[in-house]
Amino acid sequence: MNSAKFLAAAIAALAALGCSVEPQSNTVSAVVSDVQISTEHLGHIAGVLQEEVDAGIRPGFVALVATKEGVVYQTAVGMADPYNDVPMAAETRFLIASMTKPVVTAAMMQLVDRGVVALNDPVSLYIPSFASMQVAISHAANDDGTFETRPPSRAITIHDLLTHMAGLGYVFDQQTDIGKAYLAADLYGDAGTLAERMEVLTSLPLYEDPGTKWRYSFATDVVGRVIEVASGQPLGLYMEENLFAPLGMNDTEFFLEETDTTRLAAMNAFNDQGEMVRDPITDEGFGLASGGGGLVSTAPDYARFMMMLLNGGELNGARILSPATVVLMMSDHTPFNTLPENWKRDGITFGLGGATIRTPGYFGRAAAKGEWGWSGFWDTSFFITPELGVAEVLMTQAMPGPNTPPSRARDRVRAITYGALE
C-alpha cells in the first residue's frame, strides 16, 4: 500500500473518533556509571504489561530501560502478530510515527552544529515559497472557500519549526475551516515528493503569526525538506549516513514497500464489538520519508538514540551532536503564555523536537523535572531524564478509534522506571 492510503487510513481512524522474555539481569541492583538502578524492581514492568495483554487491551509490548552505559532491562510480552501466532520479541519492528520527529530534529541539529544551518535562519532561505505565506485573519473560510489573509508579523525561522511555533496546521483539526483545508491538501498522501509537498503546504494560510502559539503541525516535515536542501541529500540517505549507521541503528529506516516485513508488528484495531482485529494497513506497506513520521524501528535501536543523548551526543565513539546541543534540545523553548491550556495546567513545555516537564508535580503522574520525550500515533513512546541518567522506551501497535480501549501501560512503566532508581 502506498503512503497515501496508509496515512489516510490513520487519519480516518482518528476522525472516527502471551509470550514473555525475561529481563536481561536478575540481580538486585546494577550500578551503571553514577546511576544506580534496581533491575529487580524493573522486573515489575513485565507483570503490568502482561496484565494488559491478558485483559485484551493490547496484544503485546516491548519495553526497555537504559542508562548512558547500556540497556539495564528489556522485556517482550505477548504477541507481535496474534493473528499468525508470532510472539513479541526484542527485535520486533514497529511503525513509530511521530517518534520520528525527535530523530529528525537531531539530524537538523547536526547541521546546526556544523554551521550549515542556523536556528534563526528564515525557512525561505531553503524553501523560497515560505516567503509568500500569509496568516488567516479568520479560521472560517469565505463562502467561496478562500480565506482573508494578511502578511505575517515576521518570517518563519528554523527555530519556529523545531518548536512547533511556526503557525502551520496539521491533520488533527477537523472543526475549523482552516483545519479542513489542511486535511484536504492530503500532505501525507498523493502530493508527490517532499519538495512538491512543501509547495502545497505554502499555498495554505498560517493559523497565526510565527512565534505566538505552540501548535502541533507539519513543521517537522518542513525540517525534513530543509535537511534535504541544506545537505544536498534525500532525507532517508542523510539519516542513514549521519545517524543510523554511526549509531548502529540497523533496524531503523523509512519503511519501503520492498523492505522485509516479517518482523513488523501487526497493527491492531478494535471493531464495534470491542474485539481486537488485524488492521489491513499491516500488510499494505509504507513508503513516506516525511520528517514528521514514517520511520520503522525497534526498541533496542531507539535505545541507541536515547543513549547517545544521555551521553551528551556521543555513543561508542560516534559523535552525533555536541553536548551543548543536546542540552539545548532538552531545554524549555516555549513561553508559558503560548502553551496549550492543558500543558499549562500539567507543567509541560516544549524543547526542540520533544516535550519536556517544567513542573513535575503538576503532571499528575510519575515524572521528573527535565524529562524529555514524545510519542507516536500508533502507541509508541519514550522519555529521557538527563539529570537522573535514565531513559525508557515502550512499543506496541494500536490504531486510535472510538472502540480502542485506553492503555495504562505508559504511565505505569514510567512510574516503575523512576521507582527503580536508588
Side-chain angles (χ1 to χ4, degrees):
M1 172 173 165
N2 64 24
S3 58
K5 294 179 181 177
F6 191 88
L7 279 176
I11 294 166
L14 186 69
L17 308 172
C19 178
S20 179
V21 175
E22 292 300 314
Q24 291 185 342
S25 172
N26 291 320
T27 58
V28 173
S29 63
V31 179
V32 183
S33 185
D34 57 349
V35 179
Q36 189 173 28
I37 190 165
S38 167
T39 54
E40 181 180 50
H41 188 88
L42 290 173
H44 292 295
I45 290 174
V48 301
L49 297 180
Q50 189 65 54
E51 286 179 21
E52 294 219 348
V53 171
D54 293 343
I57 294 171
R58 298 291 184 270
F61 297 88
V62 177
L64 184 152
V65 179
T67 69
K68 65 181 182 179
E69 297 293 340
V71 175
V72 294
Y73 178 87
Q74 180 175 282
T75 188
V77 175
M79 305 298 287
D81 185 350
Y83 318 100
N84 291 295
D85 294 325
V86 179
M88 193 67 80
E91 62 268 21
T92 298
R93 304 173 91 187
F94 297 84
L95 298 173
I96 64 170
S98 287
M99 277 174 58
T100 302
K101 289 179 171 71
V103 186
V104 171
T105 296
M108 172 59 77
M109 295 308 293
Q110 277 189 326
L111 296 176
V112 173
D113 273 348
R114 296 168 184 173
V116 178
V117 176
L119 288 175
N120 60 0
D121 280 346
V123 178
S124 59
L125 185 64
Y126 306 94
I127 308 173
S129 59
F130 265 78
S132 63
M133 291 202 77
Q134 299 284 298
V135 178
I137 294 173
S138 170
H139 294 173
N142 298 322
D143 291 341
D144 61 359
T146 62
F147 293 86
E148 295 293 331
T149 61
R150 61 170 174 79
S153 60
R154 63 165 176 79
I156 299 170
T157 66
I158 301 299
H159 187 263
D160 292 328
L161 298 178
L162 295 175
T163 55
H164 288 287
M165 295 186 65
L168 296 166
Y170 211 26
V171 297
F172 299 131
D173 175 10
Q174 301 161 41
Q175 286 73 47
T176 69
D177 290 340
I178 189 172
K180 293 172 185 175
Y182 273 86
L183 279 171
D186 197 19
L187 289 168
Y188 281 149
D190 293 325
T193 66
L194 190 52
E196 291 166 340
R197 281 183 273 129
M198 293 302 102
E199 299 309 302
V200 176
L201 178 62
T202 54
S203 71
L204 298 168
L206 298 171
Y207 275 75
E208 57 266 325
D209 283 313
T212 60
K213 184 173 182 177
W214 189 92
R215 183 182 295 277
Y216 198 39
S217 70
F218 283 109
T220 319
D221 300 282
V222 182
V223 169
R225 177 56 185 160
V226 173
I227 290 171
E228 291 187 332
V229 175
S231 70
Q233 293 182 296
L235 179 61
L237 181 60
Y238 181 89
M239 301 287 287
E240 171 61 27
E241 292 185 353
N242 291 273
L243 275 89
F244 304 149
L247 290 175
M249 296 173 66
N250 299 322
D251 279 328
T252 303
E253 62 179 334
F254 287 105
F255 205 54
L256 305 176
E257 293 182 4
E258 65 268 28
T259 307
D260 175 32
T261 62
T262 56
R263 289 190 289 120
L264 184 67
M267 186 63 66
N268 306 283
F270 291 81
N271 62 23
D272 291 342
Q273 291 72 47
E275 300 166 329
M276 189 185 301
V277 295
R278 183 184 181 91
D279 193 284
I281 65 171
T282 303
D283 307 304
E284 294 176 339
F286 188 67
L288 183 64
S290 72
L295 283 180
V296 63
S297 191
T298 65
D301 261 25
Y302 213 86
R304 298 186 71 78
F305 173 69
M306 298 189 302
M307 287 187 289
M308 176 271 293
L309 294 171
L310 285 177
N311 277 284
E314 183 271 340
L315 185 66
N316 295 337
R319 170 61 62 185
I320 305 299
L321 297 168
S322 70
T325 292
V326 173
V327 171
L328 184 66
M329 287 175 62
M330 298 185 188
S331 298
D332 182 356
H333 286 254
T334 317
F336 184 79
N337 67 322
T338 68
L339 292 167
E341 289 302 317
N342 61 319
W343 283 24
K344 293 177 184 177
R345 179 195 67 222
D346 293 343
I348 304 172
T349 186
F350 203 79
L352 300 179
T356 186
I357 303 299
R358 175 184 280 169
T359 312
Y362 293 167
F363 194 47
R365 296 185 287 275
K369 184 175 176 60
E371 176 187 303
W372 180 89
W374 203 238
S375 59
F377 184 82
W378 293 298
D379 219 359
T380 59
S381 64
F382 82 100
F383 76 83
I384 301 168
T385 306
E387 290 185 17
L388 299 178
V390 68
E392 175 257 301
V393 60
L394 178 66
M395 294 190 175
T396 186
Q397 298 276 247
M399 181 68 74
N403 303 309
T404 301
S407 170
R408 298 172 59 211
R410 189 177 305 179
D411 290 343
R412 297 176 78 186
V413 171
R414 179 192 280 113
I416 293 168
T417 300
Y418 282 132
L421 294 170
E422 298 180 341

